[in-house]
Amino acid sequence: MKRIFGLLTFLFAFSIANAQQGGAYLDLSYTFHKGEVFELEQKSRTETYVTVDGVVQRTTRDYNNLISIEVTNIEPGKTTLTFKYKDLKFNFNAKNNNIFVDAKVSKPDEPFQGALKAILDQPFTVEIQTTGIINKVEGLDALVDKAGETFNTLKKDEQEAYKKLIKDQFGTDAFRGWLEQLFVMYPAHGIKTGTQWEENVPMRGDLVGRVDLYWTLQTWDSQTAKINGTAKMKTDKIQTIFLDDDIKATAEISGTTTSNYLINISSGLPSICVQNSEMAGDYTYIAKKIKNNKKVPAKIITNASYKIKQMK
């Protein structure tokens, strides 16, 4: 009798799991309660390679940050989240020039350290829909501009270079760009295992173009869901951009990002996300005379991991 009861229990559990995976629908959305606090850990490295006159130039950017996220306002269909950097480490290496900054460690001889320290514990907000679409990011550019005032004692050309670097790496466009690929944008209806859905957003930051985002629900249970994501990225080759050293250029670059998410169903936030991205193509450096324009092969590789846990 015990063996039969055990078998029936197993079959019953199996049938529930099978129903969840095969026939049942899962409704995913961002569901918050005012006063909740989450902690986001970001670790990423971006490597950029450009080949100028046969010589490969490599630039790396490393981030190791902790960000507090507090739910500060809830309205029908949308939520305001207040973000604060709690720990901020950044490493920039280009042309044998290395900048390493830990915002919590005093480093008087490094101008960038003072700027990043000014960003710590300063609030800015993100308004997000229940589907995950980001309506707006407010207060971050003003915060970065104020932090850039710490460069005012430098020479004029150094001031401009440092201000561009901090805005390119920590301004609204850069922040929103990676947040839009971290926060899955959910469909407004229930989905089954194997369902794929998509959204598109503009490229943000140095490059101008389009990002097409695709997600697929792989498996799920009562607490978590596993989602695979792919992003296809392509620049607008006629748009003018400004690169490091104030180089004016256009970019014809495309590539993909693959992402794996473990989603906390109760909040909709990813507990874990791992992303790998690679883009390749050409920059065209714009000269005063068109015939002197220079085509420069480029490759951009980014590896990133994120963790989000609820603190209260």
Side-chain angles (χ1 to χ4, degrees), residues 133 180 185 197-204 209-215 232:
I133 293 174
E180 283 177 330
M185 300 178 199
W197 65 100
E198 62 184 86
E199 280 285 351
N200 61 74
V201 295
M203 276 188 182
R204 305 187 190 276
R210 172 189 175 102
V211 182
D212 296 319
L213 299 158
Y214 305 87
W215 299 275
K232 295 181 180 179

Side-chain angles (χ1 to χ4, degrees), residues 37 96 99 107 111 120 126 135 165 177 224 235 247 291 298 307:
V37 177
N96 298 317
I99 299 172
K107 200 174 183 181
L120 279 183
V126 174
N135 292 337
L165 180 60
T224 60
T235 60
I247 295 172
K291 65 180 182 180
K307 296 180 181 178

Side-chain angles (χ1 to χ4, degrees), residues 112-176:
F112 215 71
Q113 197 278 340
L116 292 194
K117 184 177 181 181
I119 294 176
L120 279 183
D121 294 315
Q122 299 301 309
F124 58 96
T125 62
V126 174
E127 186 180 276
I128 183 173
Q129 297 180 24
T130 53
T131 57
I133 293 174
I134 296 172
N135 292 337
K136 57 187 176 181
V137 177
E138 291 189 318
L140 182 55
D141 273 344
L143 180 57
V144 169
D145 287 343
K146 186 174 180 181
E149 293 175 5
T150 60
F151 304 134
N152 288 345
T153 58
L154 303 176
K155 296 179 181 178
K156 187 67 175 178
D157 58 339
E158 291 179 327
Q159 285 185 40
E160 296 306 316
Y162 271 106
K163 286 179 179 179
K164 182 178 187 304
L165 180 60
I166 194 171
K167 190 162 188 175
D168 286 351
Q169 308 311 313
F170 296 97
T172 294
D173 284 345
F175 176 84
R176 184 167 178 171

Side-chain angles (χ1 to χ4, degrees), residues 17-29:
N18 189 57
Q20 286 182 327
Q21 298 302 312
Y25 285 88
L26 174 64
D27 287 307
L28 287 169
S29 65

Side-chain angles (χ1 to χ4, degrees), residues 38-311:
F38 301 85
E39 184 179 80
L40 164 59
E41 179 183 10
Q42 173 198 17
K43 294 182 179 180
S44 68
R45 160 168 279 209
T46 296
E47 300 174 85
T48 302
Y49 300 86
V50 296
T51 305
V52 182
D53 297 328
V55 178
V56 178
Q57 299 176 358
R58 177 174 178 258
T59 301
T60 63
R61 297 170 176 84
D62 293 270
Y63 304 85
N64 191 342
N65 306 322
L66 282 178
I67 303 173
S68 170
I69 306 172
E70 182 177 358
V71 181
T72 49
N73 190 49
I74 298 176
E75 297 179 35
K78 63 184 181 181
T79 299
T80 299
L81 305 173
T82 297
F83 285 65
K84 290 181 184 178
Y85 281 98
K86 307 304 292 184
D87 197 2
L88 208 165
K89 298 182 179 71
F90 176 63
N91 190 43
F92 175 81
N93 190 296
K95 299 179 182 178
N96 298 317
N97 179 32
N98 188 69
I99 299 172
F100 173 72
V101 173
D102 179 342
K104 288 186 174 181
V105 176
S106 178
K107 200 174 183 181
D109 58 338
E110 175 48 66
F112 215 71
Q113 197 278 340
L116 292 194
K117 184 177 181 181
I119 294 176
L120 279 183
D121 294 315
Q122 299 301 309
F124 58 96
T125 62
V126 174
E127 186 180 276
I128 183 173
Q129 297 180 24
T130 53
T131 57
I133 293 174
I134 296 172
N135 292 337
K136 57 187 176 181
V137 177
E138 291 189 318
L140 182 55
D141 273 344
L143 180 57
V144 169
D145 287 343
K146 186 174 180 181
E149 293 175 5
T150 60
F151 304 134
N152 288 345
T153 58
L154 303 176
K155 296 179 181 178
K156 187 67 175 178
D157 58 339
E158 291 179 327
Q159 285 185 40
E160 296 306 316
Y162 271 106
K163 286 179 179 179
K164 182 178 187 304
L165 180 60
I166 194 171
K167 190 162 188 175
D168 286 351
Q169 308 311 313
F170 296 97
T172 294
D173 284 345
F175 176 84
R176 184 167 178 171
W178 63 259
L179 196 65
E180 283 177 330
Q181 292 196 47
L182 172 62
F183 282 11
V184 177
M185 300 178 199
Y186 299 122
H189 53 78
I191 53 176
K192 292 183 179 182
T193 300
T195 299
Q196 185 181 84
W197 65 100
E198 62 184 86
E199 280 285 351
N200 61 74
V201 295
M203 276 188 182
R204 305 187 190 276
D206 292 342
L207 299 176
V208 178
R210 172 189 175 102
V211 182
D212 296 319
L213 299 158
Y214 305 87
W215 299 275
T216 303
L217 178 62
Q218 294 180 310
T219 61
W220 61 280
D221 57 29
S222 61
Q223 295 182 316
T224 60
K226 291 184 179 180
I227 292 175
N228 173 262
T230 302
K232 295 181 180 179
M233 302 165 289
K234 188 174 183 179
T235 60
D236 184 338
K237 63 183 180 181
I238 67 171
Q239 290 292 327
T240 301
I241 59 175
F242 288 90
L243 304 174
D244 294 334
D245 298 326
D246 209 29
I247 295 172
K248 191 176 180 181
T250 58
E252 190 171 0
I253 298 174
S254 61
T256 59
T257 296
T258 58
S259 305
N260 290 289
Y261 307 87
L262 180 64
I263 301 297
N264 183 324
I265 288 178
S266 65
S267 67
L269 291 170
S271 299
I272 301 172
C273 175
V274 178
Q275 294 179 333
N276 305 99
S277 173
E278 184 167 332
M279 299 179 68
D282 297 299
Y283 290 118
T284 299
Y285 290 177
I286 299 173
K288 291 183 178 179
K289 296 183 179 179
I290 294 177
K291 65 180 182 180
N292 294 329
N293 287 354
K294 181 181 292 186
K295 186 163 284 190
V296 178
K299 180 183 287 188
I300 306 168
I301 300 170
T302 300
N303 294 301
S305 66
Y306 305 92
K307 296 180 181 178
I308 299 179
K309 60 182 179 181
Q310 186 166 355
M311 308 303 288

